[in-house]
Amino acid sequence: MIQNDKKTYGVSKERIEQLFDSATFVELGAYTRRSEVSHDIESVVCGYGAVNGRLVFAFAQDSGINKGAFGERHAKKIADMYALAIKNGAPVVGVFDSAGAVVYDGASAMAAYGRVMKCVSDASGIIPQIALIGGACTGSAAVLASMLDITVTVKDSSKLYVNSPFVTGDNESAALASASGLSAAEADSEVEAFELVKNLINTLPHNNAEGAVAFDVNDDINRIVSFDVNNYNISELLADIADAQSFVRLYEKYSSNICVGFARFGGVVAGVVASDPSNGGILDIASARVAARMVSFCDSFGIPVVTLVDSKGLDTSARAEGAAYACELSRLAMAYTSSDNAKVSVVIGAAYGAAYTLLGSKSLGADIAYALEDACISVLSPEASVAFLWNDKVGERSREDVEAEWKEKYASAADAAACGEIDDVIEASELRKRICAALSMLAYKADGAPSRKHPVMPL
């Protein structure tokens, strides 16, 4: 018989129930206590339930009980839940809000963090894992949360850092976590954060065996897209070419030169990597990191990737070279070349030098590569090419005319198509329907080539 069976909670039970469909949450390890002699229920709530009808496991640290202190039994509850999540191939959501480890526990407290880190590592690439930072998440907990696939923070509430601000002199705001890339998205409120998490769960595959996710199409696949290729907003364009209200942008505050996220195209869920032309689409360190992470994550779960290229090249600053720039670019190259998922690329505008190669070109493994009619694909920009090679022609004719001739002869989409590096040159208005058609054709690529017993012999 359980003694003192009246359980008390801080805020975690209410928090975790926000995630699930009404009356579907079932708690695991409900009576786990901090120790044999303690009457305190362990300061983490774990369980499972339905999110939009899909099985999901979750834990929420309870800052209302001993400030959510992390210890051996705290870790055991989470580890036991993870074991069930992996067996059932279901996503995990972790709500972090803890003041840190139980200092009196010494080595066992530090081992507790390691135990959960191993659980997260073992689940990585098998099931999606989403962290919601509901309050304090510091020290080893910040490392743990960062191991999950996607981290969501809450404005004015989340505190995500390794070293205390009074040690480093930095602030502890959610904005800092977003700017540093620790947070994939920052919500204005906790309610909004949970809605974003639910949206992500509804978008992503349940596990790595499920493959590409397809929904009923709620939009016209052949809908005409109208935009000025010389003046457009990348977020607005993605929202326009994707199925209605399906685009979710991530890492917006971390990388201003590239836009990543998830969207549906003709009902098929795809990851998106798109240059932001407002800053020339320069492929800098932050852009390379976030693009590589998106491609790698999508490959782990068989999610197709759509890459839109409008980049004037690489970062030429001394700061970039001083920060192992080549290594960051090599990670991006390896993310594309090592991925087996379906990949569709479109050159929207400029695609100069290594930026063209690295952003999902056919040579890196794109299955389908398109270019818009006015796209410019070149080792150097037409301006730099003329200055370097054709400067003697300037004077007889205007520099603009000479640059236009160079673009037509050596940097046009048609020239790239003639080399076999572009599959088709398309009109801007066709952008949506051509992406939808390509993803529909590639929908089963993630399953690999069909096996056979032997070839059919000729008669």
Side-chain angles (χ1 to χ4, degrees):
M1 180 177 178
I2 297 175
Q3 296 182 357
N4 191 21
D5 60 355
K6 183 177 177 58
K7 295 182 290 180
T8 57
Y9 296 96
V11 295
S12 59
K13 191 71 179 294
E14 294 178 1
R15 265 182 170 168
I16 206 168
E17 288 180 342
Q18 290 182 68
L19 175 66
F20 295 101
D21 299 345
S22 179
T24 65
F25 176 67
V26 178
E27 190 174 352
L28 298 169
Y31 286 92
T32 302
R33 301 188 183 282
R34 185 157 293 277
S35 68
E36 287 80 356
V37 297
S38 172
H39 295 295
D40 291 329
I41 295 295
E42 186 51 65
S43 56
V44 63
V45 173
C46 300
Y48 62 91
V51 177
N52 296 318
R54 307 176 73 191
L55 175 64
V56 174
F57 288 78
F59 68 87
Q61 294 180 315
D62 198 333
S63 60
I65 299 177
N66 296 315
K67 297 183 178 180
F70 196 98
E72 181 181 358
R73 298 196 181 186
H74 191 116
K76 184 180 185 304
K77 286 186 71 171
I78 296 175
D80 290 346
M81 183 211 68
Y82 255 98
L84 285 173
I86 293 174
K87 286 178 182 178
N88 287 278
V92 167
V93 175
V95 182
F96 290 81
D97 189 359
S98 168
V102 180
V103 179
Y104 290 114
D105 286 357
S108 64
M110 294 180 286
Y113 277 118
R115 182 175 184 176
V116 180
M117 287 176 184
K118 187 176 187 308
C119 291
V120 173
S121 179
D122 290 345
S124 183
I126 298 176
I127 54 175
Q129 302 176 79
I130 302 174
L132 193 161
I133 312 302
C137 182
T138 65
S140 295
V143 177
L144 174 59
S146 297
M147 291 176 67
L148 276 66
D149 300 317
I150 299 172
T151 300
V152 177
T153 51
V154 181
K155 183 179 180 180
D156 300 328
S157 298
S158 301
K159 299 177 181 180
L160 180 60
Y161 53 82
V162 174
N163 293 302
S164 176
F166 76 80
V167 174
T168 63
D170 291 328
N171 67 59
E172 58 187 29
S173 68
L176 182 62
S178 297
S180 64
L182 284 175
S183 170
E186 182 185 325
D188 289 332
S189 67
E190 189 164 287
V191 171
E192 183 181 308
F194 272 106
E195 288 302 315
L196 175 57
V197 170
K198 288 192 280 189
N199 190 7
L200 288 169
I201 289 171
N202 196 44
T203 298
L204 300 174
H206 237 59
N207 51 63
N208 64 347
E210 186 174 350
V213 177
F215 292 82
D216 293 336
V217 182
N218 61 355
D219 199 351
D220 181 6
I221 291 177
N222 296 312
R223 175 166 51 78
I224 299 299
V225 177
S226 178
F227 70 102
D228 181 356
V229 295
N230 297 310
N231 183 23
Y232 64 92
N233 178 285
I234 187 59
S235 291
E236 293 176 359
L237 176 61
L238 285 168
D240 196 16
I241 64 175
D243 294 354
Q245 299 180 329
S246 70
F247 175 55
V248 180
R249 184 169 184 176
L250 302 176
Y251 298 103
E252 182 174 4
K253 295 183 178 180
Y254 177 60
S255 174
S256 59
N257 290 350
I258 210 158
C259 177
V260 301
F262 297 101
R264 296 197 298 270
F265 297 90
V268 178
V269 173
V272 174
V273 176
S275 305
D276 189 336
S278 62
N279 295 313
I282 298 301
L283 187 57
D284 59 8
I285 287 176
S287 302
R289 283 176 179 168
V290 78
R293 179 165 176 80
M294 175 58 67
V295 174
S296 178
F297 174 82
C298 289
D299 182 52
S300 294
F301 294 98
I303 304 170
V305 171
V306 174
T307 306
L308 304 183
V309 186
D310 194 348
S311 172
K312 293 184 178 179
L314 303 183
D315 186 351
T316 58
S317 69
R319 182 194 61 82
E321 289 299 336
Y325 189 29
C327 182
E328 297 296 344
L329 296 178
S330 71
R331 290 175 183 173
L332 176 58
M334 291 188 71
Y336 274 107
T337 57
S338 64
S339 60
D340 296 322
N341 53 334
K343 294 181 284 294
V344 177
S345 299
V346 185
V347 179
I348 302 291
Y352 298 159
Y356 164 72
T357 306
L358 293 169
L359 287 171
S361 63
K362 289 203 78 173
S363 58
L364 286 193
D367 299 287
I368 298 292
Y370 296 128
L372 299 192
E373 294 174 309
D374 293 328
C376 183
I377 303 171
S378 178
V379 175
L380 299 173
S381 69
E383 296 82 4
S385 299
V386 167
F388 187 56
L389 297 171
W390 279 9
N391 211 39
D392 57 326
K393 294 188 177 185
V394 178
E396 303 171 5
R397 297 153 55 198
S398 70
R399 183 171 292 276
E400 290 75 14
D401 285 346
V402 177
E403 290 170 354
E405 182 185 353
W406 176 276
K407 179 178 177 181
E408 183 179 352
K409 285 187 175 181
Y410 302 109
S412 68
D415 185 60
C419 297
E421 296 304 318
I422 294 294
D423 290 301
D424 200 358
V425 180
I426 65 175
E427 297 179 9
S429 60
E430 298 180 298
L431 188 56
R432 169 174 163 77
K433 70 177 183 180
R434 298 300 287 269
I435 291 174
C436 290
L439 290 178
S440 178
M441 179 270 291
L442 294 165
Y444 297 102
K445 181 196 172 187
D447 294 336
S451 60
R452 68 177 180 181
K453 186 174 181 180
H454 54 72
V456 177
M457 300 301 292
L459 182 62

